[in-house]
Amino acid sequence: MSAARRAQNANKGLQRRKALREAKPAFLIVTEGEKTEPNYFVALRRFLRIPRDLVRTEHPSASDPVSLLNAAKKLRDEARRTAQRQEGIHIDFVWLVFDREGPGNARTQQAATVREKVSGSDISIAESVPSFEFWLLLHHTYTTRQFHDANEVVTELKKSWPTYTKDSTPDEALLQAIPDAVQRAAACRQHHKNAGGDGNPSTDVDLLVLEMNESAAHDAKITL
């Protein structure tokens, strides 16, 4: 390929990235899970017809809440430096997606530390108790009964999604149920607020989904 052709292709790529950047915000989603969460958000991105360039999911080698935060900051800063050189897309929204599991353990303390550190920053948290599968469960049913651990949530989820595994990718039927899941997640938080509960079970993944929905193609946006 000639130097002129390479320069032409590079310029086209730059123009495309600029057009994407001007049209819609870009997301960086840093997940504790290696497969379940990335599979969900990739499926959701496609369902909402958000350009691939605008939703980046990352799974760091260390996945406790504090390590996720440190990795997210590093990835965000690297992406923004690259964008300044006009070689990539500026990251607008940074989300941490992790599980809090049971009360009183080290992970709960770490989650509290992370919440304090991100307060007032451009980093948001989508936290699930006890696990991300509770968000998936809310696509099928509403419940506020406590779960001992993630395995119990999976057992309940399989009543509606018998073939579910960590490798599973949501199908369109499940994604069509997002309006119900969003309403149920909000109702669950309100339940704990009214009852003074410990947040088991609950999830904030709906908040991330709502933000992504704002970036959806006009005719793909979910009506909530």
Side-chain angles (χ1 to χ4, degrees):
M1 183 184 293
S2 68
R5 177 60 63 85
R6 286 196 297 270
Q8 184 181 34
N9 289 345
N11 186 55
K12 287 181 179 178
L14 175 59
Q15 290 176 344
R16 180 172 180 273
R17 288 193 295 270
K18 283 183 175 180
L20 286 171
R21 174 66 184 87
E22 290 169 359
K24 299 291 183 180
F27 291 80
L28 170 63
I29 305 174
V30 181
T31 68
E32 169 192 350
E34 182 178 3
K35 297 178 179 178
T36 307
E37 294 92 325
N39 286 352
Y40 183 89
F41 292 115
V42 169
L44 178 60
R45 176 189 63 75
R46 292 171 176 164
F47 184 72
L48 298 175
R49 299 212 308 278
I50 300 173
R52 180 176 182 177
D53 310 56
L54 299 184
V55 180
R56 174 182 174 185
T57 61
E58 294 285 348
H59 168 68
S61 55
S63 58
D64 62 90
V66 173
S67 295
L68 287 179
L69 175 59
N70 292 337
K73 288 179 177 178
K74 182 178 180 180
L75 291 165
R76 175 201 62 190
D77 294 345
E78 288 174 349
R80 289 178 177 174
R81 284 194 295 268
T82 300
Q84 286 177 348
R85 298 195 299 270
Q86 298 185 334
E87 297 172 357
I89 293 177
H90 179 90
I91 295 296
D92 299 280
F93 297 124
V94 182
W95 282 83
L96 308 181
V97 180
F98 60 82
D99 301 341
R100 179 149 57 88
E101 301 174 1
N105 58 23
R107 194 174 188 83
T108 297
Q109 298 305 314
Q110 286 187 331
T113 298
V114 168
R115 283 195 298 273
E116 182 177 352
K117 287 186 175 183
V118 304
S119 178
S121 76
D122 63 345
I123 298 177
S124 303
I125 297 173
E127 181 180 344
S128 299
V129 185
S131 69
F132 185 82
E133 281 84 1
F134 181 65
W135 165 246
L136 300 178
L137 178 63
L138 291 178
H139 290 63
H140 300 281
T141 189
Y142 174 71
T143 181
T144 58
R145 80 168 182 87
Q146 288 198 339
F147 293 94
H148 178 70
D149 55 24
N151 291 333
E152 280 193 1
V153 183
V154 171
T155 298
E156 189 67 21
L157 176 61
K158 284 187 173 183
K159 294 177 182 178
S160 302
W161 187 355
T163 61
Y164 172 78
T165 69
K166 290 289 185 181
D167 294 331
S168 295
T169 296
D171 60 16
E172 185 167 341
L174 184 133
L175 296 173
Q176 290 282 3
I178 283 176
D180 293 330
V182 167
Q183 292 180 3
R184 291 163 181 163
C188 196
R189 285 194 297 272
Q190 188 62 46
H191 164 80
H192 290 294
K193 181 178 179 180
N194 293 343
D198 62 1
N200 182 358
S202 63
T203 183
D204 298 324
V205 176
D206 59 310
L207 305 180
L208 169 52
V209 170
L210 288 171
E211 199 158 72
M212 287 181 65
N213 191 48
E214 289 299 310
S215 294
H218 178 71
D219 56 350
K221 192 167 291 189
I222 300 168
T223 302
L224 301 166

